[in-house]
């Protein structure tokens, strides 16, 4: 009998738990440890943030589903890692603390044979002074509750605009090293369309602010793609979209302080500037959770497990940008020191960024961190669970399932309005996510036949279809596993 413990019940953790439970007999134990009570389909937060979808439509409680499927569930937060056990506990364990109910505050050693760290990122709002969701007129759409607050703030502003108020709206990244530009991009398009729906678009100045060097970088160093019969840069496509919608943009901006209606930032020229606003949605920095790890003698060994995020089978050798290789990226997401620990999704430490690192004249790093959200989170979680399943069934280590972001594609669909007939979408499919300049030297590291963009109603339909398909899949309804990650 084996016991697999999964930390986190987001896209990555939930996918891993579902596949493990489906393919392992009930003699093996699958346990999810998460402080959250609900599963949420994060991509649809955007629609919650414009009031077009209730947050109840994108979430459901985990406990009843896990009980029905035979998945153990502890609503608790991980405190520390003990991969060798300790003097009293021979098995490796996670020290966890319950966050609700009669056990709230109680700590427990949760032992395991295999551990999947799928904790995702810490939303590091503290890294930017004054950036607090719902305060200083600044909001977030990173969680469904944040998105609810964002819609409340936007709705109130729309009411003021209907009474004649001229407004400034600022959307983008709220830190010099933020990632997830795609979510902010999707939100700014939806907000712009929502103002049109309320017939107040002419009352608002909308501005995109980003740590990107060029529009459409998205933390992937931009994309050269097929667009109809043309070959187009993602920067050209996004510029065309913004121009068409009258959206201004500020690039190379490392936001470092938020005051009531003012975003302060530094640019690559080292200038300290500010931008005023009446409503802002700024994506925070992502960071590791700051976990500590200890060996069996209670000596700290955090550096064997973490480099901010968790260390896996990547090449972490420090080297110049010109020497970075797609081969640096991990394939199995297995920790090199403890072979029974894995970290799929955002939880793994990337070997380096994908976008070229740039620094201001003051030495401030201003460039996007690498994205690992969405499809990569689900795909890497599935391959990790499949390797664990094979290892348990063969009683020997198996790492046959592999997948690097350097040989993996991703589809990003940004809705640009909501409605079955009036909606729109911007679709960008990228292959591979990490550019491979050796294999595709003439197309900026991407396969042009598999890297393409499109704008139109079909993209919106696809986004709606994915929303319903992935909620269905997450609820583990009949034949859910036929839906790809």
């Amino acid at each position: 009998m084996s016991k697999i413990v999964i930390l986190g019940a987001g896209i990555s953790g939930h996918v891993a738990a579902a596949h493990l439970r489906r393919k392992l007999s009930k003699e093996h134990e699958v346990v999810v440890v998460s402080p959250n009570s609900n599963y949420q389909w994060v991509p649809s937060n955007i629609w919650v943030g414009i009031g077009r979808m209730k947050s109840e439509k994108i979430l459901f409680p985990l406990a009843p589903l896990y009980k029905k499927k035979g998945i153990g569930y502890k609503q608790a937060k991980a405190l520390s890692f003990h991969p060798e056990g300790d003097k009293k506990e021979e098995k490796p364990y996670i020290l966890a603390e319950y966050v609700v109910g009669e056990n709230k505050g109680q700590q427990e050693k949760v032992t395991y044979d295999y551990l999947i760290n799928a904790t995702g990122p810490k939303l590091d709002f503290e890294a930017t002074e004054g950036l607090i969701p719902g305060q200083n007129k600044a909001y977030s759409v990173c969680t469904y509750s944040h998105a609810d607050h964002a819609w409340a703030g936007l709705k109130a502003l729309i009411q003021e605009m209907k009474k004649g108020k001229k407004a400034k709206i600022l959307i983008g990244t709220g830190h010099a090293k933020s990632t997830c530009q795609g979510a902010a991009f999707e939100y700014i398009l939806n907000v712009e369309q929502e103002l049109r729906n309320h017939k107040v678009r002419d009352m608002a100045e909308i501005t995109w602010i980003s740590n990107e060097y060029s529009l459409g970088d998205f933390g992937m160093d931009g994309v050269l793609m097929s667009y109809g019969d043309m070959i187009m840069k993602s920067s050209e496509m996004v510029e065309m979209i913004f121009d068409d919608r009258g959206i201004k943009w500020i690039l190379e901006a490392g936001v470092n302080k938020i005051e009531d209606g003012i975003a302060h930032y530094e640019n690559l020229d080292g200038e300290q500037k500010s931008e005023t606003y009446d409503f802002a949605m700024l994506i925070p920095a992502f960071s590791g959770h700051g976990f500590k790890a200890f060996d069996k003698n209670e000596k700290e060994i955090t550096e064997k497990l973490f480099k901010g995020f968790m260390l896996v089978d990547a090449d972490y050798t420090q080297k110049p940008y010109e020497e970075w290789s797609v081969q640096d990226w991990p394939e199995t997401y297995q920790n090199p020191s403890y072979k029974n620990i894995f970290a799929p999704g955002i939880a793994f430490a990337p070997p380096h960024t994908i976008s070229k690192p740039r620094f201001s004249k003051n030495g401030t790093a201003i460039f996007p961190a690498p994205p690992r959200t969405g499809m990569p989170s689900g795909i890497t979680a599935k391959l990790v669970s499949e390797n664990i399943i094979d290892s348990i069934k063969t009683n020997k280590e198996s790492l046959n399932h592999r997948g690097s972001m350097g040989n993996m594609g991703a589809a990003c669909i940004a809705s640009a309005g909501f409605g079955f007939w009036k909606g729109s979408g911007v679709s960008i499919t990228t292959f591979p996510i990490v550019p491979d300049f050796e294999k595709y030297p003439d197309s900026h590291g991407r396969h042009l036949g598999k890297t393409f963009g499109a704008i139109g109603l079909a993209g919106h339909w696809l986004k709606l279809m994915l929303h319903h398909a992935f909620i269905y899949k997450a609820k583990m309804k009949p034949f859910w596993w036929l839906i790809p990650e």
Side-chain angles (χ1 to χ4, degrees):
M1 172 186 167
S2 294
K3 179 179 180 182
I4 307 100
V5 170
I6 302 161
L7 300 180
I11 291 177
S12 213
H14 193 69
V15 165
H19 285 288
L20 286 163
R21 187 67 287 163
R22 188 175 83 86
K23 290 190 174 181
L24 287 175
S25 63
K26 293 296 172 65
E27 67 175 328
H28 303 292
E29 194 176 356
V30 178
V31 178
V32 172
V33 177
S34 172
N36 299 316
S37 60
N38 294 316
Y39 174 86
Q40 63 167 326
W41 176 240
V42 176
S44 295
N45 283 350
I46 300 298
W47 289 331
V48 176
I50 58 165
R52 290 289 171 175
M53 188 173 279
K54 297 291 185 184
S55 55
E56 292 80 10
K57 296 292 184 183
I58 68 168
L59 61 84
F60 58 82
L62 291 165
L65 177 67
Y66 284 169
K67 183 178 181 181
K68 179 180 178 183
K69 296 296 181 180
I71 297 171
Y73 173 53
K74 298 176 186 294
Q75 193 174 344
K77 61 181 180 182
L79 298 177
S80 55
F81 288 57
H82 303 261
E84 300 172 5
D86 60 27
K87 293 175 181 176
K88 295 181 179 177
E89 176 56 65
E90 292 185 354
K91 296 197 69 173
Y93 70 87
I94 290 293
L95 184 63
E97 181 178 293
Y98 287 88
V99 296
V100 296
E102 60 184 18
N103 293 330
K104 183 178 181 179
Q106 181 179 321
Q107 296 183 359
E108 179 182 338
K109 295 177 179 179
V110 184
T111 60
Y112 62 83
D113 295 294
Y114 294 92
L115 176 70
I116 298 178
N117 173 22
T119 47
K122 173 188 175 185
L123 301 174
D124 197 3
F125 290 100
E126 296 89 347
T128 304
E129 182 182 347
L131 183 61
I132 305 165
Q135 295 189 24
N136 294 325
K137 301 186 183 75
Y139 299 87
S140 155
V141 291
C142 292
T143 71
Y144 58 83
S145 58
H146 289 172
D148 274 332
H149 293 153
W151 168 234
L154 181 62
K155 183 180 179 182
L157 181 61
I158 289 174
Q159 295 309 312
E160 290 185 56
M161 294 165 71
K162 287 182 176 178
K163 296 176 182 176
K165 177 183 174 65
K166 292 278 188 179
K168 294 181 73 175
I169 293 175
L170 186 68
I171 295 174
T173 54
H175 186 269
K177 296 291 294 293
S178 289
T179 187
C180 222
Q181 285 78 9
F185 174 69
E186 184 173 14
Y187 191 60
I188 198 170
L189 298 184
N190 274 272
V191 168
E192 196 274 338
Q193 182 60 44
E194 199 58 27
L195 296 186
R196 291 181 187 276
N197 294 340
H198 285 273
K199 304 186 186 306
V200 292
R201 176 64 184 89
D202 59 330
M203 303 295 286
E205 177 183 297
I206 304 178
T207 303
W208 170 257
I209 188 167
S210 171
N211 52 8
E212 300 165 299
Y213 184 69
S214 60
L215 286 174
D217 182 289
F218 295 139
M220 301 187 295
D221 205 25
V223 175
L224 187 67
M225 59 188 175
S226 306
Y227 182 81
D229 297 330
M230 301 184 292
I231 303 298
M232 178 182 279
K233 294 179 181 177
S234 52
S235 58
E236 296 171 329
M237 182 179 184
V238 174
E239 182 174 341
M240 177 180 70
I241 293 167
F242 280 3
D243 274 341
D244 186 50
R245 289 165 171 77
I247 297 173
K248 300 179 178 179
W249 58 86
I250 300 170
L251 300 176
E252 308 169 5
V255 174
N256 49 41
K257 184 178 180 180
I258 298 295
E259 293 181 303
D260 187 22
I262 307 173
H264 299 278
Y265 66 94
E266 178 184 348
N267 63 20
L268 286 178
D269 288 331
E271 299 171 313
Q272 302 293 336
K273 295 192 168 186
S274 62
E275 185 74 13
T276 60
Y277 61 82
D278 297 286
F279 173 91
M281 197 296 290
L282 300 170
I283 299 290
F286 289 179
S287 72
H289 289 271
F291 295 124
K292 301 286 187 184
F294 301 90
D295 69 9
K296 60 184 176 183
N297 296 314
E298 300 183 4
K299 178 185 174 184
E300 185 174 342
I301 53 167
T302 302
E303 76 283 356
K304 295 177 76 173
L305 273 81
F306 297 102
K307 181 186 176 186
F309 294 99
M310 180 166 269
L311 294 165
V312 293
D313 59 316
D315 183 351
Y316 294 106
T317 307
Q318 293 293 314
K319 46 192 172 184
Y321 167 77
E322 292 73 19
E323 296 178 17
W324 288 356
S325 166
V326 70
Q327 278 74 40
D328 298 338
W329 287 76
E331 292 186 314
T332 66
Y333 309 90
Q334 182 186 49
N335 179 258
S337 299
Y338 297 96
K339 304 295 186 182
N340 59 343
I341 299 179
F342 298 83
I346 303 178
F348 81 83
H352 44 68
T353 63
I354 303 174
S355 298
K356 183 178 181 178
R358 290 180 170 87
F359 299 84
S360 75
K361 292 181 178 178
N362 303 319
T364 305
I366 303 176
F367 56 93
R372 284 154 285 154
T373 53
M375 284 181 71
S377 287
I379 292 170
T380 55
K382 184 181 180 185
L383 72 87
V384 161
S385 63
E386 287 178 330
N387 280 332
I388 291 174
I389 291 164
D390 288 352
S391 297
I392 291 173
K393 288 185 174 179
T394 61
N395 201 30
K396 62 179 180 181
E397 183 183 73
S398 173
L399 296 171
N400 291 326
H401 301 277
R402 293 172 176 265
S404 160
M405 285 172 62
N407 55 31
M408 182 188 303
C412 178
I413 303 170
S415 63
F418 191 92
F420 197 77
W421 297 112
K422 296 181 179 179
S424 183
V426 179
S427 309
I428 299 177
T429 300
T430 305
F431 183 91
I433 301 167
V434 178
D436 187 337
F437 293 102
E438 292 185 13
K439 192 176 289 185
Y440 310 110
D442 300 323
S443 52
H444 197 63
R446 296 330 189 312
H447 186 300
L448 282 180
K450 298 179 181 178
T451 303
F452 50 90
I455 304 173
L457 183 59
H460 178 65
W461 286 350
L462 187 56
K463 173 93 180 182
L464 270 177
M465 185 186 74
L466 291 177
H467 166 85
H468 292 293
F470 280 101
I471 292 287
Y472 181 94
K473 180 183 175 76
K475 289 182 177 179
M476 302 182 209
K477 293 195 172 183
F479 304 106
W480 62 265
W481 60 88
L482 296 176
I483 300 172
E485 306 306 331

